[in-house]
Amino acid sequence: MMKIKDSMLLGLLLGLVIPVLGVMIFYYSKFAAVDLWQFLQVATKHKVLSPMLSLCAILNLGVFYIFLNKNLYLTARGIILATIIYGVTIVLLKFVL
């Protein structure tokens, strides 16, 4: 079995990629007929991009607990850092755009 290295960088990368995958799954399941760029523009215009990112950032919670249970604390810390970055981005999207 492959052993995963305990790395904050790995957690940060996973924490940043997982919500993007959630948005892509949402896009392909509901709006595949629309261009991705147009979908993001409409989501921003109608102020649904920040709630959608909030829901997708929740996916980090599951990944966080997986790494926490495997005692990979640095990786779990990286996932929390990525979630905080998403939180700041969501607040900026909500109140600035």
Side-chain angles (χ1 to χ4, degrees):
M1 185 170 176
M2 190 171 109
K3 182 160 171 76
I4 299 173
K5 183 180 175 193
D6 193 17
S7 166
M8 193 163 170
L9 181 62
L10 174 65
L12 181 65
L13 291 175
L14 280 173
L16 291 174
V17 169
I18 299 282
V20 171
L21 290 175
V23 170
M24 296 305 291
I25 290 170
F26 179 72
Y27 165 71
Y28 282 118
S29 67
K30 299 287 185 183
F31 301 100
V34 181
D35 182 42
L36 178 63
W37 185 249
Q38 185 180 7
F39 167 73
L40 292 174
Q41 286 178 334
V42 170
T44 304
K45 180 182 174 188
H46 292 289
K47 304 249 185 221
V48 295
L49 187 60
S50 59
M52 183 172 49
L53 279 175
S54 298
L55 289 174
C56 290
I58 291 175
L59 296 174
N60 279 346
L61 187 62
V63 180
F64 169 75
Y65 279 116
I66 289 171
F67 284 104
L68 199 60
N69 286 332
K70 291 184 180 226
N71 296 327
L72 298 172
Y73 298 116
L74 288 175
T75 308
R77 189 181 298 172
I79 293 170
I80 292 297
L81 177 62
T83 306
I84 291 170
I85 291 170
Y86 269 108
V88 169
T89 304
I90 290 165
V91 168
L92 289 174
L93 283 172
K94 188 168 187 86
F95 295 112
V96 175
L97 294 180

